[in-house]
Protein backbone atom coordinates (compact mmCIF):
# COMPACT_ATOMS: atom_id res chain seq x y z
CA UNK A 1 0.00 0.00 0.00
CA UNK A 2 1.17 3.49 -0.80
CA UNK A 3 0.61 6.49 1.44
CA UNK A 4 1.43 9.96 0.11
CA UNK A 5 1.43 12.75 2.62
CA UNK A 6 2.35 16.36 3.00
CA UNK A 7 2.86 17.87 6.42
CA UNK A 8 3.78 21.51 6.92
CA UNK A 9 3.56 24.21 9.55
CA UNK A 10 0.84 26.79 9.00
CA UNK A 11 3.08 29.43 10.56
CA UNK A 12 6.80 29.97 10.38
CA UNK A 13 9.24 32.39 12.01
CA UNK A 14 11.27 32.53 8.79
CA UNK A 15 10.88 35.95 7.14
CA UNK A 16 10.71 34.28 3.71
CA UNK A 17 7.97 31.88 4.91
CA UNK A 18 10.24 28.93 4.17
CA UNK A 19 9.02 25.67 5.63
CA UNK A 20 12.10 23.62 4.73
CA UNK A 21 13.44 23.33 8.28
CA UNK A 22 10.20 21.85 9.62
CA UNK A 23 9.69 19.65 6.57
CA UNK A 24 13.27 18.35 6.87
CA UNK A 25 12.45 17.15 10.39
CA UNK A 26 9.47 15.21 9.03
CA UNK A 27 11.58 13.68 6.26
CA UNK A 28 14.21 12.61 8.83
CA UNK A 29 11.49 10.62 10.62
CA UNK A 30 10.46 8.92 7.37
CA UNK A 31 14.04 8.04 6.46
CA UNK A 32 14.70 6.63 9.92
CA UNK A 33 11.67 4.32 9.56
CA UNK A 34 13.47 2.10 7.07
CA UNK A 35 10.33 1.84 4.93
CA UNK A 36 10.55 2.36 1.16
CA UNK A 37 9.88 6.04 0.49
CA UNK A 38 10.29 8.87 -1.96
CA UNK A 39 10.18 12.60 -1.32
CA UNK A 40 9.20 15.03 -4.05
CA UNK A 41 8.60 18.78 -4.01
CA UNK A 42 5.03 18.36 -2.77
CA UNK A 43 4.65 14.95 -1.08
CA UNK A 44 6.47 12.11 0.59
CA UNK A 45 5.24 8.64 -0.37
CA UNK A 46 5.81 5.66 1.92
CA UNK A 47 5.12 2.02 1.09
CA UNK A 48 3.97 -0.44 3.73
CA UNK A 49 1.00 -1.75 5.67
CA UNK A 50 -1.31 0.45 7.75
CA UNK A 51 0.32 -0.59 11.00
CA UNK A 52 3.80 0.22 9.67
CA UNK A 53 3.06 3.51 7.95
CA UNK A 54 0.57 5.32 10.17
CA UNK A 55 2.94 5.61 13.17
CA UNK A 56 5.58 7.08 10.83
CA UNK A 57 3.15 9.67 9.48
CA UNK A 58 2.10 10.55 13.01
CA UNK A 59 5.73 10.87 14.16
CA UNK A 60 6.52 13.06 11.13
CA UNK A 61 3.53 15.24 11.97
CA UNK A 62 4.66 15.45 15.61
CA UNK A 63 8.12 16.55 14.42
CA UNK A 64 6.55 19.49 12.60
CA UNK A 65 4.26 20.25 15.57
CA UNK A 66 7.41 20.61 17.66
CA UNK A 67 8.31 23.75 15.70
CA UNK A 68 4.85 25.13 14.91
CA UNK A 69 1.69 25.46 17.02
CA UNK A 70 -0.48 24.52 14.04
CA UNK A 71 0.19 22.00 11.26
CA UNK A 72 -1.51 21.01 8.03
CA UNK A 73 -1.55 17.33 7.02
CA UNK A 74 -2.73 16.04 3.64
CA UNK A 75 -2.91 12.25 3.21
CA UNK A 76 -3.71 10.13 0.18
CA UNK A 77 -3.56 6.32 0.10
CA UNK A 78 -3.55 3.65 -2.61
CA UNK A 79 -4.81 0.60 -0.75
CA UNK A 80 -3.95 -2.56 -2.65
CA UNK A 81 -3.24 -5.27 -0.08
CA UNK A 82 -0.89 -7.98 -1.22
CA UNK A 83 1.06 -5.77 -3.61
CA UNK A 84 4.61 -4.61 -2.98
CA UNK A 85 7.19 -2.67 -4.93
CA UNK A 86 4.52 -0.24 -6.10
CA UNK A 87 6.52 2.85 -5.18
CA UNK A 88 8.45 2.28 -8.41
CA UNK A 89 6.11 -0.23 -10.06
CA UNK A 90 3.35 2.25 -10.84
CA UNK A 91 5.79 4.70 -12.39
CA UNK A 92 7.63 1.98 -14.29
CA UNK A 93 4.38 0.77 -15.89
CA UNK A 94 3.53 4.28 -17.08
CA UNK A 95 7.07 4.77 -18.43
CA UNK A 96 6.80 1.42 -20.24
CA UNK A 97 3.61 2.57 -21.95
CA UNK A 98 5.19 5.87 -22.95
CA UNK A 99 8.29 4.19 -24.36
CA UNK A 100 6.39 1.50 -26.24
CA UNK A 101 3.43 3.57 -27.44
CA UNK A 102 0.88 1.46 -25.57
CA UNK A 103 -2.51 3.12 -25.33
CA UNK A 104 -5.31 2.99 -22.82
CA UNK A 105 -8.60 1.40 -23.81
CA UNK A 106 -11.56 3.70 -24.65
CA UNK A 107 -13.17 2.93 -21.29
CA UNK A 108 -10.38 4.71 -19.45
CA UNK A 109 -8.52 1.62 -18.27
CA UNK A 110 -5.54 0.01 -19.86
CA UNK A 111 -5.49 -2.82 -22.32
CA UNK A 112 -3.79 -5.23 -19.89
CA UNK A 113 -6.23 -4.75 -17.02
CA UNK A 114 -3.87 -2.54 -15.01
CA UNK A 115 -5.83 0.24 -13.35
CA UNK A 116 -3.03 2.48 -12.15
CA UNK A 117 -3.63 6.14 -11.68
CA UNK A 118 -1.62 8.26 -14.08
CA UNK A 119 -0.05 11.37 -12.63
CA UNK A 120 1.81 13.96 -14.65
CA UNK A 121 5.10 14.99 -13.16
Amino acid sequence: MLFAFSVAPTTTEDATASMSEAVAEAVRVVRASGLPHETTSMFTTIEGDWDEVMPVIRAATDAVLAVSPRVSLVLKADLRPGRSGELRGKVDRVEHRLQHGLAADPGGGTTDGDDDEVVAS
Side-chain angles (χ1 to χ4, degrees):
M1 294 185 267
L2 297 175
F3 298 83
F5 77 101
S6 172
V7 59
T10 59
T11 61
T12 178
E13 293 182 15
D14 186 302
T16 66
S18 174
M19 298 180 191
S20 62
E21 182 180 349
V23 172
E25 292 305 315
V27 172
R28 278 189 186 92
V29 169
V30 172
R31 289 181 177 176
S33 75
L35 293 173
H37 65 277
E38 178 180 66
T39 299
T40 64
S41 62
M42 298 289 289
F43 285 90
T44 293
T45 303
I46 307 175
E47 185 167 12
D49 292 329
W50 280 103
D51 295 338
E52 296 173 309
V53 173
M54 294 312 285
V56 175
I57 293 173
R58 181 172 185 168
T61 302
D62 288 345
V64 177
L65 274 168
V67 298
S68 176
R70 189 173 186 182
V71 171
S72 172
L73 172 67
V74 175
L75 176 65
K76 181 178 180 179
D78 180 2
L79 307 175
R80 254 178 131 176
R83 301 281 296 229
S84 63
E86 293 298 280
L87 189 65
R88 286 292 328 148
K90 289 178 72 163
V91 176
D92 290 345
R93 287 188 295 276
V94 171
E95 288 296 330
H96 177 79
R97 290 189 170 282
L98 291 169
Q99 291 172 7
H100 294 90
L102 301 174
D105 72 22
T110 57
T111 55
D112 65 359
D114 194 356
D115 61 352
D116 285 335
E117 165 183 14
V118 176
V119 180
S121 55

